Amino acid sequence: MTEREQLDLRRRRLTNGRQAMLQRFDSGCPISQLPITGAVESRPVLDESARTAAPFPDAQCVHSLFESQAKRTPEAIASTFGTESLTYQQLDDLANRLARNLHARGVRRGDLVAVHLERSFELLVAILAILKCGGGYVPLPTDYPVARRRFMLEDSRAVLVISLRAMPEGIVPAGCGVLELQGFDGRVDGAGLTATDLPRPEQDPSDVAYVIYTSGSTGEPKGVVVEHRSIARLVFGQSYARFGSDRVFLQLAPVAFDASTFEIWGSLLHGARLVIVREGPPDLQAIGALIRQHRVTTLWMTVGLFNAVIDSRPETLAGVEEILTGGDVLSPRHVQLAQERLGPGTRIINGYGPTECTTFACCYTIPHAVAQSTSAIPIGRPIANTRAYVLDELGEPVVVGVTGELYLAGAGLARGYLNRPELTAERFLPDRFAEEPGGRMYRTGDLVRWLADGTLDFVGRRDQQVKIRGFRVELGEIERVLEDYPGVDKAVVEARELAGAGKAIVAYWKANEGGRVVREELARFVRTRLPSFMIPSAWVELSELPLTSSGKVDRRALPEP
């Protein structure tokens, strides 16, 4: 579209906006439905949000980008784990051999393959091999309850599970195969396969790269479908962090957490080194040793972990050039302490974004020496090839300073929710502000406002969704599991700040008439249904749940645990 055509399109929208406002007024509609701002006022805000276009390799698939990098720097170290390292050539060769094996087992373009693996070389090889076959990978955390893992396999209709060893009984449904990688050295199943006759299916950047499951308000997790193009948009043409062959990334996030997308592909598609942290509870001493030994330049941490490090062992992060943190509201106090203790050589970036927008949608590089009076850290501006709209309840743009709901658009948007067309249609809407037809925007449910400097300030949520240790949690899902327990009449779950524990999940419940619920047995039941990050930290039994005058649960009247 030429500049003249863009100008004409904007003029038409301006005229249409005025006409729509006049029609509403002439029709005698309620004042509450009249837009607060006119097109003249909202246009600058929309224009600012739209100025994010930047070139990136949107015509290539992720594994093709990796293969190109491997050809450019075959002897460079791609990844380090423990005392071992893999070069780009070695990693590509191993992935080729496994891809040949997967193809022989029937994996084809569009198939989903689950990876039941912890952070390791095997995980990287498996992911690359799946993509080379034309498939998409589904992270299947090894510590999730059996019922949840089985649901994810059934819902995704995965054709195969790649695991280090035999799968636990009761997880794998009929029709889903298992490939064990125990003792994996490239000779999968002892077949000694080579890269010859490597499958080269016809592929497109709009093909599925991965499906990550997030908490669902209906009581079941939902799979977010992310395409190759969206991953390329995350790590190319960007300025929120530095990418290049001189960088060293730390892989600290679980593969089921979309921050791993930034860690893995932000390094491997640019010739950088990926240092893998062994799975398990964070060991700050071990993490600090890895950072010093490998001179880590870039890492991601959830807000909870960042705060804990700054409170107890800030020297852990000494020497890191870029720390991206997010997954929850940042604490200005901890940011100030981090800047004081780490010095001006460390950039701290607030990284915001839902899984549905491929890890990051907005970022904010926090100025060094944050003012002592700062009460909140903005989430920043939209990153390259991302558009942000702040809309009122009628879907009209709001002006600077007015709170509205955040909608996101651009190349980072996921395809939608796997096998959930109604939910996809509810959350992924036509983008009526896009200059090209067919655009979509994602309704985040987050309340924000534009600040005068063009950054976004996070205000809160419209629903019961919270972030716990970086994971998105629908409190309604936990409530439904609690109410499935025999003897529980009604349950309510809240996220509360607990002394010494930070933000934590608190479960309140009322037993059936004349019934009795043993707290320890209830907790055991919940652990069989939900992953560890969704397990309540405090349990409160009530004889009656407090109600408002309208008969709804009065959440403000719930006692402190």
Side-chain angles (χ1 to χ4, degrees), residues 235-522:
V235 298
F236 287 97
Q238 300 294 350
S239 61
Y240 65 84
R242 285 181 56 196
F243 299 95
S245 59
D246 62 333
R247 312 304 284 170
V248 181
F249 283 66
L250 194 69
Q251 190 191 356
L252 191 57
V255 70
F257 184 22
D258 67 347
S260 64
T261 306
F262 164 74
E263 296 169 335
I264 294 172
W265 304 118
S267 57
L268 296 184
L269 300 188
H270 290 278
R273 180 187 298 197
L274 181 66
V275 177
I276 302 173
V277 177
R278 197 171 298 279
E279 204 88 17
D283 180 337
L284 300 190
Q285 185 173 351
I287 291 172
L290 285 174
I291 289 173
R292 291 189 299 273
Q293 179 184 353
H294 299 288
R295 298 181 180 180
V296 170
T297 64
T298 311
L299 61 80
W300 158 268
M301 303 183 99
T302 63
V303 167
L305 181 57
F306 175 77
N307 292 350
V309 171
I310 297 305
D311 279 335
S312 61
R313 297 179 64 100
E315 65 275 12
T316 299
L317 304 177
V320 178
E321 295 177 15
E322 293 180 323
I323 300 172
L324 292 93
T325 183
D328 207 338
V329 178
L330 266 63
S331 158
R333 180 179 72 84
H334 286 91
V335 171
Q336 291 160 8
L337 285 173
Q339 291 178 332
E340 290 171 6
R341 296 172 181 178
L342 300 177
T346 299
R347 284 204 315 161
I348 302 175
I349 300 127
N350 187 4
Y352 163 87
T355 302
E356 289 85 349
C357 201
T358 314
T359 310
F360 297 135
C362 301
C363 285
Y364 181 71
T365 299
I366 304 170
H368 199 72
V370 172
Q372 295 297 315
S373 59
T374 299
S375 60
I377 306 293
I379 59 175
R381 290 182 170 87
I383 67 173
N385 300 301
T386 305
R387 299 186 301 279
Y389 310 128
V390 184
L391 309 180
D392 62 20
E393 292 184 356
L394 300 175
E396 297 292 338
V398 301
V399 294
V400 171
V402 175
T403 297
E405 186 172 353
L406 178 61
Y407 291 71
L408 298 169
L413 251 61
R415 180 185 295 181
Y417 298 112
L418 186 67
N419 306 323
R420 304 283 289 277
E422 292 182 359
L423 183 59
T424 298
E426 177 186 325
R427 301 303 294 269
F428 292 84
L429 309 174
D431 181 3
R432 62 189 182 89
F433 307 107
E435 294 183 345
E436 298 295 334
R440 300 176 307 140
M441 58 183 183
Y442 170 68
R443 184 177 186 178
T444 67
D446 288 334
L447 300 177
V448 300
R449 62 188 169 205
W450 290 108
L451 300 179
D453 63 357
T455 59
L456 285 164
D457 183 34
F458 180 82
V459 176
R461 285 286 306 173
R462 295 186 63 95
D463 53 25
Q464 287 185 278
Q465 188 185 105
V466 297
K467 286 288 187 78
I468 300 292
R469 297 193 291 280
F471 287 92
R472 189 169 68 185
V473 175
E474 294 278 3
L475 298 179
E477 181 175 0
I478 306 174
E479 290 174 352
R480 284 167 177 78
V481 171
L482 288 167
E483 291 173 357
D484 281 346
Y485 184 76
V488 172
D489 177 44
K490 178 68 178 174
V492 177
V493 176
E494 286 280 278
R496 299 270 178 113
E497 291 289 336
L498 301 183
K503 184 182 289 184
I505 299 172
V506 181
Y508 300 87
W509 80 91
K510 173 184 175 295
N512 288 330
E513 191 72 29
R516 181 174 176 271
V517 174
V518 178
R519 187 184 69 175
E520 290 74 15
E521 294 178 0
L522 175 59

Side-chain angles (χ1 to χ4, degrees), residues 60-370:
Q60 296 185 61
C61 290
V62 169
H63 55 284
S64 297
L65 292 167
F66 172 79
E67 290 167 352
S68 297
Q69 183 60 55
K71 288 178 182 177
R72 288 193 297 270
T73 57
E75 300 306 316
I77 298 298
S79 183
T80 299
F81 184 45
T83 59
E84 303 294 323
S85 292
L86 284 179
T87 67
Y88 273 83
Q89 185 65 62
Q90 289 171 329
L91 179 54
D92 195 38
D93 286 346
L94 290 171
N96 286 341
R97 292 173 182 176
L98 181 55
R100 181 69 182 85
N101 188 288
L102 295 179
H103 186 76
R105 289 169 177 262
V107 176
R108 297 293 185 268
R109 180 184 180 184
D111 287 340
L112 293 179
V113 177
V115 285
H116 190 255
L117 299 165
E118 297 181 345
R119 289 188 296 265
S120 59
F121 289 151
E122 289 89 349
L123 174 64
L124 301 181
V125 171
I127 288 173
L128 278 165
I130 293 166
L131 297 180
K132 285 172 180 277
C133 285
Y137 62 94
V138 182
L140 190 68
T142 58
D143 60 347
Y144 275 16
V146 168
R148 195 175 186 88
R149 282 181 280 176
R150 183 177 179 87
F151 170 83
M152 292 166 64
L153 287 176
E154 290 175 340
D155 185 69
S156 66
R157 300 166 191 166
V159 299
L160 189 70
V161 182
I162 300 178
S163 182
L164 194 60
R165 53 189 62 87
M167 293 290 291
E169 188 176 350
I171 291 180
V172 183
C176 180
V178 178
L179 173 60
E180 297 176 26
L181 297 182
Q182 192 163 28
F184 177 67
D185 61 0
R187 297 188 297 274
V188 181
D189 287 350
L193 297 169
T194 67
T196 56
D197 299 324
L198 184 68
R200 290 291 180 184
E202 290 293 328
Q203 289 181 262
D204 187 89
S206 63
D207 285 355
V208 178
Y210 65 78
V211 175
I212 280 185
Y213 277 81
T214 66
S215 181
S217 59
T218 62
E220 292 180 338
K222 55 185 184 291
V224 180
V225 182
V226 175
E227 301 171 350
H228 286 256
R229 182 183 291 115
S230 296
I231 297 175
R233 158 268 186 196
L234 176 67
V235 298
F236 287 97
Q238 300 294 350
S239 61
Y240 65 84
R242 285 181 56 196
F243 299 95
S245 59
D246 62 333
R247 312 304 284 170
V248 181
F249 283 66
L250 194 69
Q251 190 191 356
L252 191 57
V255 70
F257 184 22
D258 67 347
S260 64
T261 306
F262 164 74
E263 296 169 335
I264 294 172
W265 304 118
S267 57
L268 296 184
L269 300 188
H270 290 278
R273 180 187 298 197
L274 181 66
V275 177
I276 302 173
V277 177
R278 197 171 298 279
E279 204 88 17
D283 180 337
L284 300 190
Q285 185 173 351
I287 291 172
L290 285 174
I291 289 173
R292 291 189 299 273
Q293 179 184 353
H294 299 288
R295 298 181 180 180
V296 170
T297 64
T298 311
L299 61 80
W300 158 268
M301 303 183 99
T302 63
V303 167
L305 181 57
F306 175 77
N307 292 350
V309 171
I310 297 305
D311 279 335
S312 61
R313 297 179 64 100
E315 65 275 12
T316 299
L317 304 177
V320 178
E321 295 177 15
E322 293 180 323
I323 300 172
L324 292 93
T325 183
D328 207 338
V329 178
L330 266 63
S331 158
R333 180 179 72 84
H334 286 91
V335 171
Q336 291 160 8
L337 285 173
Q339 291 178 332
E340 290 171 6
R341 296 172 181 178
L342 300 177
T346 299
R347 284 204 315 161
I348 302 175
I349 300 127
N350 187 4
Y352 163 87
T355 302
E356 289 85 349
C357 201
T358 314
T359 310
F360 297 135
C362 301
C363 285
Y364 181 71
T365 299
I366 304 170
H368 199 72
V370 172

